[in-house]
Amino acid sequence: MKIVLAYSGGLDTSVLLSWIKERYNATMIAFCADIGQEEELKGLNKKAASTGASKTYIDDLSEEFARDFIFPMIQAGAIYENQYFLGTSIARPLIAKRMVEIARKEGADAIAHGATGKGNDQVRFELTAAALAPELEIIAPWRDAQFRSEFPGRAEMIQYCEDHNIPVEASAKKPYSMDRNLLHISYEAGILEDPWLDASAPAHKAMYKLSVSPEDAPNRSEYVTLDFIKGICIAVNGKKMSPAQIMRALNKLGGKHGIGRVDLVENRFVGMKSRGVYETPGGAILHFAHRQIETLTMDREVMHLRDSLIPKYSELVYYGFWFSPEREALQALVTESQKNVTGTVRLKLYKGNIITAGRRSPVSLYNPHIATMEADPTKAYDQSDATGFIRLNGLRLKVAAQVHGKKGARK
């Protein structure tokens, strides 16, 4: 049996690689996706080999991640439950997609992951595999009772590595778990399981990696411009960049000013609530700027239709249905809605705040001559016409009041 494992080189996946190999008498292929997590990847090939992998893939997927996953999601305006920028959610289908490609290339029988049985990631990995390669078997050790009985805690994992000569640097467990990629860093579990804990307090300052606290941000604001073509950002401060370069530049800029910190209690797909703390400096700026250029260039009814679909689109990403036909259908509508979302937005960043400082577009639908409170030189709008407009829209309200109410009061 040949198995492709999502591998990071840490304690958990090192144990998984060895344990799965023994349990299934399998040939193991380790796969690590570089999606901007900034983790040390040097020596990972050697480490995986010494742990039992016959082959290791370390693939830089940063550009694909930004271009084909983050940016289309930004076009859709997707934010889960009005707070979460979906940083972890959107990364999983890309990782699983690449695992499927490697599995087919290597003639593997299964893919394996280290997601727990309580979280969302297990669903995201496996729904992607179901959509792209239904013939592949899925191995999820944390849902295996034998695995859980052997490893009830971290101490047992460390002991296993010592017994099997697995090279892993075991350190004291952090009081929270962390996941990083090009879009964000998430923090959860441990001390953060208490929703009353103030994660913004100075005592937890060292937790954050991408951003300073708003209190520690510069005392002077900074301006930034973003150029869009068809809803896609193509330049920052007039400099054209690739999608991944744009994310890195905005992360650095937003982090400097304390932008994009979110502390929320969210509803997991598996049914429970969980508390998470997130840093999404670049994503927060991009979302804000994208909405500003839309206000100038999108037709009202198209905008309202797209906005009505944001909760559904966000759910599909969060739940793991990126490769579902319904998400692809929604994306087609989103793409159509973005065909005129072109122009430049100027923002002011200051102590955790993103402030609009201007927007312009060659296809702007805003006409100051029509909107002006002064005399309209275009004569496109006759204020007298509003009388009939209001009368017709108020007709049903008047009829209802006459039927159901007496002296203007309803029973």
Side-chain angles (χ1 to χ4, degrees), residues 50-355:
S50 64
T51 308
S54 62
K55 195 170 186 178
T56 302
Y57 284 81
I58 303 173
D59 296 342
D60 185 352
L61 305 179
S62 297
E63 285 295 347
E64 182 180 359
F65 183 38
R67 182 188 66 241
D68 298 340
F69 291 79
I70 297 175
F71 278 22
M73 187 175 70
I74 296 290
Q75 284 183 304
I79 301 179
Y80 182 65
E81 297 183 338
N82 293 314
Q83 294 187 83
Y84 174 39
F85 289 102
L86 295 162
T88 297
S89 312
I90 194 61
R92 298 320 187 218
L94 171 59
I95 295 171
K97 169 180 170 285
R98 183 58 182 145
M99 289 177 74
V100 164
E101 292 169 351
I102 292 170
R104 284 183 165 157
K105 178 181 177 181
E106 296 289 340
D109 308 284
I111 61 173
H113 62 77
T116 74
K118 283 190 172 183
N120 299 305
D121 281 344
Q122 57 179 338
V123 185
R124 296 162 182 157
F125 280 123
E126 295 179 36
L127 289 182
T128 297
L132 301 182
E135 73 280 4
L136 288 177
E137 183 182 343
I138 305 294
I139 296 173
W142 282 109
R143 299 204 304 264
D144 186 317
Q146 181 180 333
F147 181 85
R148 294 197 306 273
S149 66
E150 286 185 42
F151 303 104
R154 189 174 176 84
E156 288 78 12
M157 286 188 160
I158 294 173
Q159 187 60 53
Y160 179 91
C161 290
E162 291 178 358
D163 295 341
H164 289 74
N165 296 316
I166 296 173
V168 63
E169 294 180 12
S171 58
K173 188 176 182 180
K174 291 181 179 179
Y176 48 80
S177 66
M178 185 178 86
D179 181 78
R180 180 174 183 171
N181 62 43
L182 199 59
L183 182 54
H184 85 163
I185 299 181
S186 66
Y187 307 92
E188 62 180 11
I191 61 172
L192 297 176
E193 289 179 351
D194 175 9
W196 188 250
L197 180 133
D198 180 4
S200 70
H204 307 297
K205 186 176 180 178
M207 180 176 74
Y208 298 93
K209 306 298 180 187
L210 285 179
S211 63
V212 301
S213 68
E215 294 91 338
D216 294 332
N219 291 323
R220 295 186 64 180
S221 62
E222 183 172 358
Y223 287 88
V224 58
T225 62
L226 290 83
D227 297 330
F228 289 86
I229 293 179
K230 296 184 177 180
I232 295 294
C233 184
I234 53 97
V236 175
N237 287 330
K239 182 180 180 181
K240 289 189 176 181
M241 301 180 186
S242 71
Q245 288 172 335
I246 285 172
M247 292 308 304
R248 291 190 180 100
L250 293 179
N251 276 333
K252 184 176 180 180
L253 188 60
K256 173 184 174 183
H257 290 278
I259 304 294
R261 290 189 177 187
V262 179
D263 184 334
L264 64 96
V265 175
E266 66 201 60
N267 290 295
R268 285 183 181 172
F269 191 19
V270 294
M272 69 189 73
K273 289 183 182 289
S274 66
R275 191 270 188 96
V277 177
Y278 301 94
E279 291 182 276
T280 320
I285 293 172
L286 200 53
H287 264 281
F288 191 96
H290 177 253
R291 168 59 76 169
Q292 288 305 310
I293 196 61
E294 283 184 331
T295 65
L296 205 61
T297 60
M298 276 185 85
D299 173 80
R300 181 189 71 186
E301 296 305 314
V302 172
M303 177 183 283
H304 291 181
L305 175 61
R306 193 284 312 275
D307 286 357
S308 72
L309 298 170
I310 287 176
K312 181 61 178 178
Y313 187 104
S314 303
E315 277 188 356
L316 292 174
V317 176
Y318 188 83
Y319 293 168
F321 288 97
W322 181 258
F323 289 105
S324 67
E326 62 269 34
R327 200 282 306 176
E328 292 173 351
L330 285 182
Q331 197 71 56
L333 184 147
V334 168
T335 300
E336 174 66 18
S337 77
Q338 300 292 297
K339 63 183 182 181
N340 294 318
V341 181
T342 295
T344 300
V345 176
R346 183 173 58 210
L347 303 174
K348 182 165 61 175
L349 309 180
Y350 182 67
K351 289 190 176 295
N353 295 292
I354 309 172
I355 303 162

Side-chain angles (χ1 to χ4, degrees), residues 8-20:
S8 68
L11 178 62
D12 285 22
T13 56
S14 294
V15 170
L16 285 172
L17 198 159
S18 177
W19 188 87
I20 293 171

